[in-house]
Amino acid sequence: MKKIIPILLCLFFLTDGVAYAHVLRVGARWQFQIIQAALNASLKGDTILVGPGIYKEKNIVVNKSLVLIGDHYPILDGEHQFEIISVKADNVTIKGFKLIHSAISSLVDIAGIKVYTRKGVTIANNILEGTFFGIYLEKSAGCLIENNKVTAYAKTDQQSGNGIHCWQCDSIRIIGNAITGHRDGIYFEFVTNSVIWRNKSINNSRYGLHFMFSHNDAYISNIFQSNNAGVSVMFSHTVKMFNNYFEDNWGDGCYGIFLKEITDSYILGNKFLRNTMGISMEGSNRVVVENNEFSKNGWALKVDASCLDDTIRRNNFLGNSFDISTNGTLVVNCFDHNYWDKYEGYDLNKDKIGDIPYHPVSMFSMIVAQNPTAMILFRSVMATLFDKIEKILPGITPEIVDRYPYMKALKI
């Protein structure tokens, strides 16, 4: 009998756990017509299934660990007055909703879905349109934001927040989302050990991606296209930037990536296509730029004199107006084994490496860097003359030299 009692107690607690995990339905034909009423009646571990329709419930607060699922994308309307969903419990899942018309505020960061200091939250397969901030994580960890479509229509930065915003977070996964029309598509500030993978951040009014004080993160296989300023990674270390596309970021002060005060980071396997600047680097140290393609940019790479111990190798430079530009005379960085389509050297020993070094900084690019209006002379006889002088007297330009230039473009 003594041996049977512990077994019976275990069975009781297991049965008790299953008994309280059930489905609550919301909709015209079900027991609940209001989502918040179902939330209030639910218990930890329950699933709330919301049927099709338009729900105007002001601010919906989720304060229990449960699953909230929309059937055929029910519409949650914030009526331009409210934050739509506020998550205030751990281990919450929100899937399958269309959220529209959150409030706009210059004092409070109002979002379509906002997570307040929580862990293990999943936000997936939702559509957000016309929200101030789209999805906002505050002091949260171990969360997943996946396959959401986040769109804003504001005409000024003051009327639009960021599409996916993370502040003081850790171990966040942002996967497969599409963000457009926001101020910054994705924003990280004080975020660590997190990954941004396979997202599309297009036509945002400022940055496609904005990093601030965020370390040990990676963004991989994303598309950043036609954003007003491109991508900015600032005051961070150990950032991995792999296999992304940076496309069509044109305009004054636009770039594929702007790096400022970055250390011990990697830019590998990316494509920089048709940007004003492919990469602009300021105060960036021990950064490896390898196996990237720079094609049809204004400037492929701008390296400020404050950059030290950076390595630029095995990249393709194709059809750029200027390949390399700098504002200093002494450059303490390594350039080697790149392919430069402007290289006019030869390979007598047939080892696929040019026999004479290549100086990628042209004299005319230095003039334009100091006097932008000189760009009017681009492709003129005068510009050609400057470049010929530089080849005869290479000491005129900064000592940036690729001593082992490839004769053919690399496969990247």
Side-chain angles (χ1 to χ4, degrees):
M1 184 67 182
K2 291 181 179 180
K3 294 181 179 180
I4 295 174
I5 290 174
I7 296 173
L8 292 174
L9 287 172
C10 290
L11 290 173
F12 173 78
F13 284 115
L14 286 172
T15 304
D16 185 65
V18 173
Y20 286 101
H22 57 281
V23 177
L24 289 75
R25 297 180 179 271
V26 180
R29 298 184 298 111
W30 302 106
Q31 68 265 47
F32 296 99
Q33 282 73 51
I34 297 174
I35 298 170
Q36 191 66 61
L39 286 166
N40 295 341
S42 67
L43 297 174
K44 181 179 179 181
D46 284 350
T47 295
I48 296 176
L49 181 61
V50 181
I54 300 175
Y55 298 84
K56 299 181 179 181
E57 298 195 19
K58 300 181 179 179
N59 179 216
I60 297 169
V61 179
V62 182
N63 55 15
K64 299 166 189 172
S65 299
L66 48 74
V67 177
L68 185 62
I69 298 178
D71 178 19
H72 289 84
Y73 289 96
I75 296 172
L76 310 183
D77 189 351
E79 303 180 80
H80 302 287
Q81 299 180 63
F82 309 102
E83 182 165 275
I84 301 174
I85 298 179
S86 301
V87 179
K88 298 185 177 180
D90 296 339
N91 303 313
V92 170
T93 296
I94 299 172
K95 291 185 177 181
F97 291 91
K98 183 174 182 179
L99 299 93
I100 61 173
H101 305 153
S102 75
I104 294 173
S105 173
S106 59
L107 301 176
V108 181
D109 293 339
I110 295 171
I113 302 173
K114 190 168 182 178
V115 180
Y116 292 83
T117 318
R118 295 298 157 186
K119 297 178 180 179
V121 175
T122 297
I123 301 169
N125 303 317
N126 300 286
I127 299 170
L128 295 92
E129 293 185 357
T131 56
F132 184 46
F133 285 81
I135 299 169
Y136 194 119
L137 305 184
E138 174 184 286
K139 296 184 178 180
S140 297
C143 298
L144 170 64
I145 302 174
E146 185 174 23
N147 294 335
N148 301 282
K149 184 178 180 181
V150 187
T151 307
Y153 305 102
K155 295 182 179 179
T156 66
D157 287 353
Q158 290 73 25
Q159 293 178 312
S160 178
N162 303 319
I164 298 174
H165 184 107
C166 301
W167 180 66
Q168 288 194 17
C169 295
D170 182 72
S171 302
I172 305 298
R173 292 170 293 157
I174 299 176
I175 302 173
N177 302 280
I179 310 107
T180 188
H182 280 273
R183 183 170 60 206
D184 295 340
I186 301 171
Y187 182 88
F188 270 23
E189 187 170 8
F190 302 109
V191 178
T192 53
N193 306 310
S194 298
V195 63
I196 299 169
W197 181 40
R198 294 192 298 106
N199 302 279
K200 294 181 180 179
S201 185
I202 298 171
N203 284 317
N204 295 289
S205 64
R206 192 169 63 175
Y207 299 115
L209 170 67
H210 193 178
F211 257 58
M212 295 281 286
F213 308 105
S214 295
H215 313 304
N216 302 304
D217 299 312
Y219 61 96
I220 303 167
S221 300
N222 303 282
I223 296 174
F224 303 106
Q225 184 178 34
S226 300
N227 297 293
N228 190 52
V231 168
S232 180
V233 182
M234 307 172 71
F235 308 106
S236 303
H237 64 74
T238 325
V239 180
K240 299 175 180 65
M241 301 164 256
F242 298 162
N243 303 325
N244 301 284
Y245 282 78
F246 303 86
E247 301 179 356
D248 297 312
N249 300 294
W250 282 108
D252 187 27
C254 293
Y255 24 73
I257 305 178
F258 174 56
L259 302 179
K260 185 175 179 64
E261 305 299 330
I262 302 299
T263 57
D264 301 304
S265 296
Y266 300 88
I267 303 174
L268 308 180
N270 303 278
K271 293 188 183 296
F272 298 87
L273 310 175
R274 300 180 301 275
N275 304 285
T276 301
M277 288 170 272
I279 302 178
S280 180
M281 304 171 68
E282 293 183 9
S284 299
N285 305 322
R286 300 183 301 281
V287 176
V288 176
V289 181
E290 185 172 4
N291 290 336
N292 303 283
E293 182 171 304
F294 298 87
S295 179
K296 299 180 181 179
N297 302 283
W299 284 265
L301 186 59
K302 279 194 170 184
V303 183
D304 193 87
S306 59
C307 298
L308 302 174
D309 296 324
D310 297 318
T311 301
I312 294 88
R313 67 186 174 211
R314 297 185 59 83
N315 302 283
N316 286 332
F317 292 85
L318 306 167
N320 303 293
S321 298
F322 306 109
D323 289 328
I324 305 293
S325 179
T326 184
N327 63 350
T329 56
L330 178 63
V331 179
V332 189
N333 300 295
C334 175
F335 292 76
D336 69 73
H337 290 92
N338 299 283
Y339 173 74
W340 313 86
D341 64 348
K342 298 181 180 64
Y343 179 61
E344 297 177 349
Y346 46 83
D347 178 20
L348 295 179
N349 60 2
K350 305 299 181 182
D351 64 352
K352 301 180 181 180
I353 302 295
D355 292 342
I356 58 174
Y358 179 60
H359 297 258
V361 180
S362 70
M363 185 175 179
F364 184 62
S365 72
M366 297 293 296
I367 294 171
V368 171
Q370 298 177 13
N371 301 280
T373 54
M375 192 63 189
I376 197 172
L377 298 174
F378 184 60
R379 299 193 189 281
S380 69
V381 175
M382 185 66 70
T384 303
L385 180 60
F386 283 136
D387 289 342
K388 295 298 182 184
I389 293 172
E390 185 272 332
K391 289 179 180 179
I392 297 170
L393 301 171
I396 296 175
T397 56
E399 189 63 17
I400 294 179
V401 182
D402 187 338
R403 300 189 183 280
Y404 310 99
Y406 276 105
M407 297 299 296
K408 292 185 178 180
L410 301 159
K411 292 182 179 180
I412 293 175

